[in-house]
Amino acid sequence: MRRLFALLLLACPVFAADPPKPDKDGFVPLFNGKDLTGFVNVNCGPKTWTVKDGVLITSGTPIGLLRTEKQYENFECEFEWMHVNTKEVGNSGFFVWCDPLPQVGGPFTRGIEVQVLVNYPKNDWATNHGDVFSVSGAKCVPDRPHPTKKGLERCLPSEERCKGGGEWNHYRVVAKDGAIKLSVNGKEVSGVSECTPRKGYLSFESEGAECHFRNVRIKELPTSSPKAEQIAEVDQGWKPLFNHTDLTGWNTEDGAWKVEGGVLKCVGKAGLSVAKLPDDFELIFDWKGPEEITLKSSGGTLTAKTKKAGQWQRERTGFPGTGPSPSLTFTAADKLDLRNVYIRDLSKK
């Protein structure tokens, strides 16, 4: 009987889960309230993002992003957010039209940020919440010129409507034809237009403080056919090789390397090797510090020279034909820092 039952199970077709049906207003859940299905951990730790009681929670460390698997162009998105901090600064955000990988040497992708912030000291260039601005090379035109910093691509809200830490707030983000409008707790207060990109991924931000998100829903609107140069880069299958938290997955001598602020830092004389690799692979990584660095692999050796001292630069290289026992080692170098280390498996192509 058990054998027959097993055969029947094998014979039955397996169907993918049906997509969620839109509600009466045309919205579907962007976050399912159960797990991180539909999202990609761009550069956060394995415990940075969790789900509890229908709430998406970021611990705030390390700084980074959790993005959607798919790109969006024109849409309406609504969600509630709450910072746990009631006195200390609570910082987070919602990124619109992002690239899949972070900027060179930084934790954030190119895109437009919708600020999620509380308890920030009063100043003349930013508010506690409701700001909308370009990040990491994205471009936009604020609905109102910045009052104190001419040319700054940052729209300050017309009024502050958010509640403080420990209380839920509601955001409504309307993104259409390269323009973004933000409504805070029921009233539109800020916006930008002429955005580049104007189609891309959506991301929630981890930036130093615990923040909660819930009731995240989205309604896609008809396309306005953006040009290729107005669309964010498309995910090409890059996976983080470094978890931005510790040395899990790497081999080195004790005390030779450490992780600090999402950065791999060489503090000793031993190299840093990857524990497990596909047979053929391509690598992206950012580095700064010494005049040159060396990577040794069973598929070859790469030596990279600094272009400008003290600044981050990105390398992209392939290591094909490494065979059944591939290896990769970053040779130790004085003051060498690494971040944004991603790998793409070429052996599956």
Side-chain angles (χ1 to χ4, degrees):
M1 181 62 73
R2 289 180 180 177
R3 178 181 174 84
L4 177 60
F5 182 67
L7 290 172
L8 288 173
L9 285 177
L10 290 173
C12 291
V14 177
F15 298 99
D18 292 332
K21 294 181 179 180
D23 63 16
K24 62 182 179 60
D25 299 316
F27 286 85
V28 297
L30 185 63
F31 160 57
N32 65 17
K34 300 176 183 179
D35 54 37
L36 299 180
T37 298
F39 287 90
V40 175
N41 186 345
V42 176
N43 55 344
C44 294
K47 297 182 180 179
T48 302
W49 296 94
T50 56
V51 177
K52 183 178 180 181
D53 299 329
V55 177
L56 175 64
I57 302 171
T58 174
S59 66
T61 56
I63 294 174
L65 298 172
L66 179 77
R67 69 165 174 84
T68 55
E69 288 182 341
K70 64 170 287 186
Q71 290 192 344
Y72 293 86
E73 182 198 344
N74 295 336
F75 63 88
E76 297 178 20
C77 183
E78 296 185 355
F79 60 90
E80 296 174 82
W81 62 267
M82 179 184 69
H83 271 294
V84 172
N85 289 352
T86 57
K87 295 182 180 179
E88 300 83 5
V89 173
N91 198 355
S92 185
F94 179 66
F95 281 54
V96 179
W97 297 326
C98 304
D99 286 330
L101 296 179
Q103 69 192 84
V104 176
F108 303 128
T109 62
R110 184 179 60 142
I112 307 298
E113 180 174 354
V114 177
Q115 186 74 76
V116 173
L117 180 69
V118 295
N119 303 327
Y120 195 67
K122 292 292 183 180
N123 59 71
D124 65 351
W125 72 276
T127 71
N128 266 295
H129 43 69
D131 295 20
V132 181
F133 52 96
S134 59
V135 177
S136 304
K139 302 297 292 183
C140 69
V141 176
D143 285 359
R144 292 177 297 278
H146 197 279
T148 62
K149 296 187 181 297
K150 186 177 180 180
L152 184 64
E153 296 180 0
R154 188 182 192 107
C155 183
L156 304 185
S158 55
E159 61 179 278
E160 296 193 12
R161 295 179 52 81
C162 278
K163 304 169 187 176
E167 298 187 76
W168 286 100
N169 293 279
H170 181 272
Y171 270 10
R172 181 172 184 263
V173 179
V174 179
K176 185 178 180 182
D177 302 341
I180 298 172
K181 305 296 182 184
L182 171 65
S183 295
V184 177
N185 291 328
K187 183 178 180 180
E188 184 179 308
V189 297
S190 52
V192 294
S193 61
E194 300 180 37
C195 296
T196 303
R198 50 179 281 187
K199 177 180 178 180
Y201 301 97
L202 309 180
S203 297
F204 289 102
E205 178 192 21
S206 167
E207 195 175 358
E210 182 177 331
C211 189
H212 297 195
F213 300 91
R214 70 181 184 187
N215 297 328
V216 187
R217 62 179 196 155
I218 192 167
K219 176 170 67 174
E220 293 193 70
L221 304 174
T223 180
S224 50
S225 301
K227 299 177 182 178
E229 61 268 22
Q230 296 174 314
I231 302 173
E233 296 176 6
V234 177
D235 179 19
Q236 297 180 352
W238 295 101
K239 306 295 182 185
L241 196 56
F242 163 48
N243 69 11
H244 303 87
T245 301
D246 55 38
L247 295 174
T248 298
W250 300 81
N251 295 320
T252 189
E253 293 180 3
D254 289 344
W257 290 75
K258 67 178 182 179
V259 178
E260 189 176 278
V263 177
L264 285 160
K265 305 180 78 68
C266 182
V267 292
K269 301 299 183 181
L272 181 66
S273 301
V274 184
K276 187 177 181 181
L277 289 164
D279 290 348
D280 301 325
F281 60 91
E282 188 175 12
L283 192 71
I284 279 179
F285 65 94
D286 298 343
W287 70 278
K288 71 172 183 177
E291 293 185 359
E292 68 176 37
I293 62 170
T294 301
L295 277 77
K296 295 182 178 180
S297 167
S298 49
T301 298
L302 167 71
T303 299
K305 296 183 180 295
T306 186
K307 298 179 178 67
K308 194 167 184 180
Q311 293 193 5
W312 288 101
Q313 62 188 58
R314 178 161 292 178
E315 307 293 337
R316 177 173 177 173
T317 182
F319 290 93
T322 57
S325 300
S327 64
L328 178 69
T329 300
F330 287 90
T331 301
D334 187 40
K335 298 180 180 179
L336 171 59
D337 289 350
L338 302 171
R339 77 178 310 164
N340 296 331
V341 186
Y342 292 88
I343 192 169
R344 186 162 65 146
D345 187 351
L346 302 179
S347 61
K348 296 180 179 179
K349 294 185 178 298

